Amino acid sequence: MQPVVEAKDLASGYNGKATWQNANFSVRKGEFVAVIGPNGAGKTTLFRMLLGLQKPLKGKLTLFGEEPRRGNRKIGYVPQRHTIDNDTNIECIELVSLALSWNRWGFNPFSKGEKEAAYKILKDVGAEELAHKSLAELSGGELQRIYLAEALVGDPDMLLLDEPLSNLDMKRTKDLVSLMSNVVRARKVTTFLVAHDINPLIHFLDKVIYIANGRVATGTAEEVLTSKRLTELYGTPVEVLRDSKGHILVHTLYDLEDYHEGKKHGL
């Protein structure tokens, strides 16, 4: 099976200066991939390249066997900040329908078929009861379900989710991750999800792309999230700790020294 996404010696950057480089990975149809790393590492930059909004600084990136291009209808995208403000007085079903009638505006622009498709995808993400509510009435978790439905309604082959778990509490995060995994598996949609915390995702992932310190590590969670691999990535000693439930904590040597020093002083 030909990879949906393939990167060879890929580098990103601005004005000739690399943000990260030497990335090599391939992602196949239906795989669920987390893109993680610290703020400013260049996670969203990868999305910009996949969306055709930014050219690689070096190397090669292919998407569906060709160079990424703007406006690719095979991609569903949920950005960090939505183009329609949450306070906008628009019903959820209308927002989702807009994704199908994006090039037609005017009085009552939605056809019966578009409304039916929008309602079906709302049902698929467990949000049919929100269809006639306005965005302003929704909680953070409900909004993310609507944005997911909006991205999926056009039946894309790929889904890009930029930090959909931000500002959600633990229960809503767990519910949303489980929902996303079920939906993308059922539809066999190749999915990239940017996140800071790997723990809510770890049991659902096929691969991890970890970006830090201008470097990129890729593989399964078990391959990437090790003390040895992350020490190489960060260029400084890193300890990866796991608790009894499989949750991961990543600490630099300095974090651990500070922790043990604090314990000695009862802090």
Side-chain angles (χ1 to χ4, degrees):
M1 186 185 299
Q2 183 181 17
V4 172
V5 177
E6 191 166 23
K8 294 182 178 179
D9 299 322
L10 188 65
S12 77
Y14 300 89
N15 300 319
K17 184 177 180 181
T19 304
W20 47 260
Q21 56 191 334
N22 301 326
N24 292 278
F25 59 85
S26 64
V27 177
R28 299 189 181 279
K29 181 176 176 62
E31 289 189 320
F32 196 178
V33 182
V35 183
I36 60 175
N39 285 330
K43 301 184 297 295
T44 298
T45 303
L46 175 60
F47 275 21
R48 287 181 55 80
M49 289 197 291
L50 290 170
L51 289 165
L53 301 176
Q54 183 173 332
K55 295 287 186 183
L57 192 63
K58 292 179 182 177
K60 186 176 181 181
L61 178 65
T62 56
L63 181 63
F64 305 113
E66 58 186 28
E67 288 188 6
R69 56 181 173 82
R70 291 172 180 256
N72 192 336
R73 300 291 285 175
K74 291 183 178 182
I75 301 176
Y77 176 44
V78 178
Q80 286 186 46
R81 296 174 183 82
H82 205 278
T83 52
I84 294 180
D85 191 272
N86 295 352
D87 293 330
T88 303
N89 187 23
I90 181 173
E91 289 188 352
C92 294
I93 195 167
E94 293 177 336
L95 178 68
V96 176
S97 297
L98 275 172
L100 291 173
S101 61
W102 61 279
N103 62 341
R104 291 189 291 105
W105 288 87
F107 181 73
N108 193 24
F110 311 123
S111 69
K112 180 181 178 181
E114 287 166 348
K115 282 288 187 82
E116 288 174 349
Y119 186 79
K120 181 181 183 303
I121 196 64
L122 285 171
K123 186 175 181 179
D124 287 348
V125 301
E128 66 268 31
E129 76 280 2
L130 305 176
H132 297 291
K133 288 190 175 183
S134 70
L135 297 184
E137 298 178 70
L138 306 187
S139 68
E142 289 171 338
L143 277 170
Q144 289 302 331
R145 286 175 183 254
I146 299 305
Y147 295 154
L148 180 62
E150 181 189 19
L152 285 169
V153 71
D155 197 22
D157 295 311
M158 176 180 290
L159 196 59
L160 303 181
L161 308 172
D162 199 348
E163 299 200 35
L165 309 180
S166 296
N167 304 316
L168 298 184
D169 61 31
M170 191 177 298
K171 183 182 185 308
R172 287 186 174 88
T173 295
K174 182 180 178 181
D175 290 345
L176 184 61
V177 170
S178 179
L179 167 71
M180 289 188 298
S181 177
N182 290 338
V183 170
V184 301
R185 299 292 186 199
R187 291 171 168 262
K188 296 186 171 137
V189 181
T190 305
T191 301
F192 289 74
L193 187 151
V194 168
H196 289 287
D197 184 6
I198 191 70
N199 286 314
L201 301 163
I202 197 163
H203 299 299
F204 300 93
L205 297 174
D206 296 300
K207 289 179 180 173
V208 172
I209 298 175
Y210 200 125
I211 304 174
N213 195 35
R215 302 183 178 104
V216 180
T218 63
T220 65
E222 291 75 15
E223 292 168 340
V224 173
L225 300 172
T226 67
S227 299
K228 182 177 183 295
R229 195 79 181 273
L230 294 189
T231 293
E232 293 171 353
L233 188 68
Y234 279 97
T236 191
V238 171
E239 187 75 21
V240 176
L241 308 176
R242 286 177 168 82
D243 67 15
S244 60
K245 295 184 178 179
H247 296 149
I248 289 175
L249 297 173
V250 177
H251 291 285
T252 66
L253 177 63
Y254 307 106
D255 291 334
L256 291 172
E257 287 175 345
D258 290 344
Y259 171 76
H260 291 303
E261 188 67 22
K263 292 290 282 186
K264 282 197 302 185
H265 295 286
L267 299 177

